Amino acid sequence: MPADDKQKRATIHDVAKAAGVSAATVSKVLRGVKTVREDNAERVRAAVSALDYRMDPIASGLRGEQRRIIGAVVPDLESAFFGRLVTGLERAAEAAGYHMIVATSRESEAREADLIQGMNDWRVAGCVLVPVRSERGLGARTLRDLDMQAVLVDRVSADDAFDTVSADNHTASAAVADFLVRLGHRHVLLHGATQISKAIRTRLEGFRERALALDPGMRIDELLSDAPLEDQRPAIRDYFAANQGTDRPAAVFSLSQQSTLLVLSEIRRMGLDVPEDIALVGFDDADWMQTTWPSITAVAQPVTAIAERALGTLLARVEGESTGFPVQYLEPCTMLVRQSAGQTEKAPPRRSRNGGQ
Amino acid sequence: MPADDKQKRATIHDVAKAAGVSAATVSKVLRGVKTVREDNAERVRAAVSALDYRMDPIASGLRGEQRRIIGAVVPDLESAFFGRLVTGLERAAEAAGYHMIVATSRESEAREADLIQGMNDWRVAGCVLVPVRSERGLGARTLRDLDMQAVLVDRVSADDAFDTVSADNHTASAAVADFLVRLGHRHVLLHGATQISKAIRTRLEGFRERALALDPGMRIDELLSDAPLEDQRPAIRDYFAANQGTDRPAAVFSLSQQSTLLVLSEIRRMGLDVPEDIALVGFDDADWMQTTWPSITAVAQPVTAIAERALGTLLARVEGESTGFPVQYLEPCTMLVRQSAGQTEKAPPRRSRNGGQ
DNA sequence: CTTGCAGGATAAACCGATTTATCGTGAGAT
DNA sequence: ATCTCACGATAAATCGGTTTATCCTGCAAG
């Protein structure tokens, strides 16, 4: 077959010529501006499909101010939580007629700031940021400096420049404290094996406050580290070696999914039984947790709700419907009671209160 | 503080003026063209940093032909496999000085084609596609029609238009057959619970061929479905209800990660013990599989190798270093022998052969 | 002394859309 | 019959870089 490859794609002028109107008119039809006579509009539409015309978003973006693109920056895409979050964001964005571009900061604040600069260069309408550490990090500062529209998600508390959305870590962790205390546990290990972010701190405090309120004599140990996962096993072993017999904690509350897996693995290796020897509750549910034996009691985060809320508030700002001062949204978590914590009294699955303000 | 907000960002002309040269010269310096006198180049660089100048990628892209952007389209981001794949791609792209934009087809071929059209509109230099079904799907056809540079990944076999990269599903599945047959199992259930893609079919055939070659009397049942996960439980129960006693398979080979989880869960629910009552081997390893009890024997995919290979071959095409006909790359998998299949003889972890051509 | 040529710099055209300023037309008002 | 005004349509300016065609300068060759 002969090469008719190199026919370059039709421009708006080609369409204009074919329809017998000016380029400006075509542009109006394409963008749905109403001041065009219907017969002209019809001829334009015919020409568009006859020529297979597609608007060039780059040329379009050069002059036009507002782009219909939302940027998202997340710490990584290897954990199911962010994967689902991004999926939810993308779905919501699309439903509102926006495109999404995603990038990962790989837990680096410098990269985070770079990516945001890049998104600003591409003139995104707004940006969803899951900060590496907190709302006071480099990424958030860059957003502010660049005067961008944004919403901060997950590893955040209230902020004075941007809306924030996260799981209600504090309330959910308090519910875990309720649960463990009611089961009679008076010595708990709090274990955090990931980036010590705002979310992790909030979970920690939520638990600690409630537990101490219920029983001031409660013993709460902490084992926190953001070292690479495999390097953390020795620390766990050391801890248990140093706390044997009556000093061994009655329960572990692991503050992240990776943390849960790590602790479970080490508990197994020590030959302890869950929940007979030690109870385990994890923050952040995973699909394997209901299948493993024993199944793991965990706090499930409302990922979809977070995604929808985040995109909703962002778009409200972008489209100018919302102009008030920043709001912090706390989406309620669900605690899935399974086997790993035992159960002396039949506690119904608890829902944490909805947050607000 | 007074509002000095609205000072718009510096353009290349501002830099030119500040440096006392023309815009064309600035452009050359920025792109590293050599035909600029060093003292001029130096003044330009000084002006750039003095004015905080950043090149506008949109304006730049309008005239310039080649963009330094790679697009990636994956079926979803909720499974760890694609998450890690994307991370690997992004890292490799960045190392080569490219940016990446990711989008998810959500297992829809129509969406897949749309996304590719969109990436073409944005003039990406090349595209990494993990097709929803196979290299003959709508996405691949669109790539061909648009005459784009691309590499097809994961759910593919050889193609006559694009390089393809995937795990060596066939060889790895044959190794699983070796393994199960050597353990004495003569009745195996093959279970596939996800989109029945090319990869799943290849795994199935790889197993079947080797197993029948080793023992022509082997009984191999299949349970395949791409229905929503939770709707598939009844089918599993029905199967086991219809195949009890001596008809019960001695082993299950689950062809995807979700499949493994689903089967394990149902086996548990039936009160069967793994591996005493039934052996289980899964394709695609997950981090929880080494921690659960029993730990799961699984085939680990070389995600990083796949990502690097994919981006490497794509860039070779994009940069014109490679122009030969398409190559199929098969990256070797690793079989992680754990508890779920039992072990009468001590089989060392097997490595499948490297594929090629 | 003239011509040729290479190295560097630049003004102007260009990319493909959007936006602005202008213009023609016909209906309604005076 | 003349003047407005609203409505559509359009030519031209614009966005911010890249590319092209041209120009200048100085030096070597004829």
Side-chain angles (χ1 to χ4, degrees):
Chain A
M1 63 189 86
D4 63 340
D5 293 2
K6 269 312 166 202
Q7 52 183 358
K8 37 188 50 165
R9 51 192 285 169
T11 74
I12 201 173
H13 292 98
D14 299 329
V15 175
K17 195 174 306 176
V21 296
S22 75
T25 302
V26 176
S27 177
K28 283 179 182 167
V29 174
L30 261 36
R31 278 171 306 127
V33 178
K34 305 296 299 173
T35 64
V36 178
R37 234 173 32 223
E38 182 52 34
D39 61 326
N40 276 337
E42 196 46 59
R43 296 222 306 291
V44 167
R45 281 190 284 269
V48 164
S49 67
L51 297 178
D52 264 347
Y53 171 75
R54 309 197 93 222
M55 192 191 71
D56 183 333
I58 296 185
S60 163
L62 183 52
R63 188 62 147 82
E65 186 59 20
Q66 196 68 296
R67 304 240 62 343
R68 305 225 88 194
I69 296 181
I70 299 292
V73 177
V74 299
D76 72 84
L77 284 174
E78 314 203 359
S79 72
F81 179 76
F82 295 131
R84 291 169 58 202
L85 181 69
V86 166
T87 303
L89 290 171
E90 197 180 29
R91 197 185 300 264
E94 203 157 312
Y98 285 76
H99 284 262
M100 270 244 342
I101 61 182
V102 190
T104 62
S105 55
R106 292 202 226 107
E107 304 287 3
S108 149
E109 289 209 273
R111 231 180 106 67
E112 181 175 284
D114 277 353
L115 290 171
I116 286 167
Q117 281 271 6
M119 300 201 155
N120 187 241
D121 289 343
W122 285 97
R123 315 213 194 128
V124 297
C127 196
V128 179
L129 171 64
V130 178
V132 168
R133 278 187 138 264
S134 81
E135 72 283 355
R136 293 169 193 281
L138 198 48
R141 178 154 56 248
T142 307
L143 286 169
R144 215 165 328 214
D145 291 346
L146 263 28
D147 203 30
M148 296 170 71
Q149 296 281 12
V151 55
L152 272 27
V153 176
D154 186 48
R155 297 176 174 178
V156 292
S157 49
D159 186 69
D160 56 4
F162 299 110
D163 296 323
T164 62
V165 181
S166 69
D168 188 351
N169 292 299
H170 197 276
T171 305
S173 296
V176 171
D178 279 345
F179 179 70
L180 288 178
V181 167
R182 187 175 320 128
L183 290 178
H185 301 306
R186 289 298 180 274
H187 180 188
V188 179
L189 169 65
L190 268 31
H191 185 260
T194 32
Q195 174 73 251
I196 308 306
S197 63
K198 192 69 161 232
I200 300 289
R201 294 217 171 282
T202 306
R203 291 168 195 172
L204 198 140
E205 285 160 16
F207 181 94
R208 178 178 284 280
E209 280 177 21
R210 176 68 58 90
L212 291 178
L214 292 172
D215 179 355
M218 190 100 181
R219 175 171 167 195
I220 301 176
D221 297 342
E222 293 177 13
L223 205 50
L224 303 177
S225 164
D226 54 4
L229 278 185
E230 283 309 309
D231 299 350
Q232 297 196 32
R233 294 184 183 275
I236 299 177
R237 272 171 240 165
D238 290 349
Y239 170 83
F240 278 97
N243 295 280
Q244 294 185 322
T246 56
D247 268 346
R248 194 176 70 207
V252 178
F253 178 25
S254 52
L255 302 172
S256 72
Q257 201 180 110
Q258 296 176 314
S259 193
T260 303
L261 194 56
L262 199 63
V263 168
L264 183 61
S265 162
E266 287 302 317
I267 287 178
R268 283 266 162 67
R269 186 181 303 214
M270 289 184 292
L272 298 177
D273 281 329
V274 176
E276 289 76 10
D277 297 326
I278 192 166
L280 175 63
V281 176
F283 205 110
D284 200 8
D285 185 43
D287 49 10
W288 58 267
M289 290 183 185
Q290 65 175 311
T291 297
T292 187
W293 195 90
S295 55
I296 310 294
T297 293
V299 175
Q301 300 196 68
V303 193
T304 307
I306 292 175
E308 284 168 3
R309 174 77 74 184
L311 213 80
T313 58
L314 178 57
L315 290 188
R317 297 277 180 188
V318 164
E319 294 171 356
E321 294 159 14
S322 161
T323 53
F325 53 83
V327 179
Q328 173 184 27
Y329 293 97
L330 296 172
E331 302 296 328
C333 299
T334 311
M335 181 164 148
L336 302 172
V337 176
R338 293 193 278 242
Q339 299 165 348
S340 69
Q343 236 176 309
T344 43
E345 11 174 328
K346 183 76 180 172
R350 292 179 58 85
R351 288 192 148 265
S352 60
R353 285 201 328 273
N354 191 341
Q357 147 64 335
Chain B
M1 61 191 85
D4 63 341
D5 293 3
K6 269 313 166 203
Q7 54 183 356
K8 37 187 52 167
R9 53 193 284 169
T11 74
I12 201 174
H13 293 98
D14 300 329
V15 175
K17 196 174 305 175
V21 295
S22 75
T25 302
V26 177
S27 177
K28 283 179 183 167
V29 174
L30 261 37
R31 279 171 306 128
V33 178
K34 303 297 299 175
T35 63
V36 177
R37 235 172 31 221
E38 183 51 34
D39 60 328
N40 276 337
E42 196 45 60
R43 296 221 308 289
V44 167
R45 281 190 283 270
V48 164
S49 67
L51 296 179
D52 264 348
Y53 171 75
R54 308 197 94 222
M55 192 191 70
D56 183 333
I58 295 185
S60 162
L62 184 52
R63 188 64 145 79
E65 187 60 20
Q66 196 68 299
R67 300 242 51 19
R68 306 225 89 194
I69 296 181
I70 298 291
V73 176
V74 298
D76 72 84
L77 284 174
E78 314 203 0
S79 72
F81 180 76
F82 295 130
R84 290 169 59 203
L85 183 69
V86 167
T87 304
L89 289 171
E90 197 179 28
R91 196 186 301 265
E94 202 158 312
Y98 286 76
H99 284 262
M100 270 246 339
I101 62 182
V102 190
T104 63
S105 55
R106 292 202 227 109
E107 305 287 2
S108 148
E109 290 209 273
R111 231 180 106 68
E112 182 176 283
D114 276 352
L115 290 170
I116 287 167
Q117 281 271 6
M119 299 200 155
N120 187 241
D121 290 342
W122 285 97
R123 315 211 194 131
V124 297
C127 195
V128 179
L129 170 65
V130 178
V132 168
R133 280 187 137 263
S134 78
E135 70 283 355
R136 295 168 193 280
L138 198 49
R141 179 154 55 250
T142 307
L143 286 169
R144 215 166 328 214
D145 291 345
L146 262 29
D147 203 30
M148 297 171 70
Q149 297 280 12
V151 55
L152 271 27
V153 176
D154 187 47
R155 298 175 175 179
V156 291
S157 48
D159 185 68
D160 56 4
F162 300 110
D163 296 324
T164 62
V165 181
S166 69
D168 189 352
N169 293 298
H170 196 277
T171 305
S173 296
V176 171
D178 278 346
F179 179 70
L180 288 178
V181 167
R182 187 176 318 128
L183 290 178
H185 301 306
R186 289 298 179 273
H187 180 188
V188 179
L189 169 65
L190 267 32
H191 186 261
T194 31
Q195 174 75 252
I196 308 306
S197 63
K198 193 69 161 231
I200 300 288
R201 294 216 171 282
T202 306
R203 290 167 196 173
L204 197 140
E205 286 160 16
F207 182 93
R208 178 178 283 280
E209 281 176 23
R210 176 67 59 89
L212 291 177
L214 292 172
D215 180 353
M218 190 101 180
R219 176 171 166 194
I220 302 176
D221 297 342
E222 292 178 11
L223 204 51
L224 303 178
S225 165
D226 53 4
L229 278 186
E230 282 309 309
D231 300 350
Q232 297 195 32
R233 295 184 181 274
I236 300 177
R237 273 172 239 165
D238 290 349
Y239 169 83
F240 278 97
N243 295 279
Q244 294 187 320
T246 56
D247 269 345
R248 195 176 69 206
V252 178
F253 178 26
S254 52
L255 302 172
S256 72
Q257 201 180 109
Q258 295 176 313
S259 193
T260 303
L261 194 57
L262 199 63
V263 168
L264 183 62
S265 161
E266 286 302 318
I267 287 178
R268 283 267 161 67
R269 187 180 301 212
M270 289 183 291
L272 299 178
D273 280 331
V274 176
E276 289 76 10
D277 297 324
I278 192 166
L280 175 63
V281 176
F283 206 111
D284 201 7
D285 185 43
D287 50 10
W288 57 267
M289 291 184 185
Q290 66 174 311
T291 297
T292 187
W293 193 89
S295 56
I296 310 294
T297 293
V299 174
Q301 301 195 68
V303 194
T304 306
I306 291 175
E308 285 168 2
R309 174 77 73 181
L311 212 81
T313 59
L314 178 57
L315 290 188
R317 298 274 180 190
V318 164
E319 294 171 357
E321 293 160 16
S322 160
T323 52
F325 53 82
V327 179
Q328 173 184 27
Y329 294 96
L330 296 172
E331 302 296 328
C333 299
T334 311
M335 182 164 146
L336 303 171
V337 176
R338 294 193 277 243
Q339 299 165 349
S340 69
Q343 237 175 309
T344 42
E345 10 174 329
K346 183 75 179 173
R350 292 179 59 85
R351 286 193 148 263
S352 59
R353 286 201 328 272
N354 192 339
Q357 151 61 334

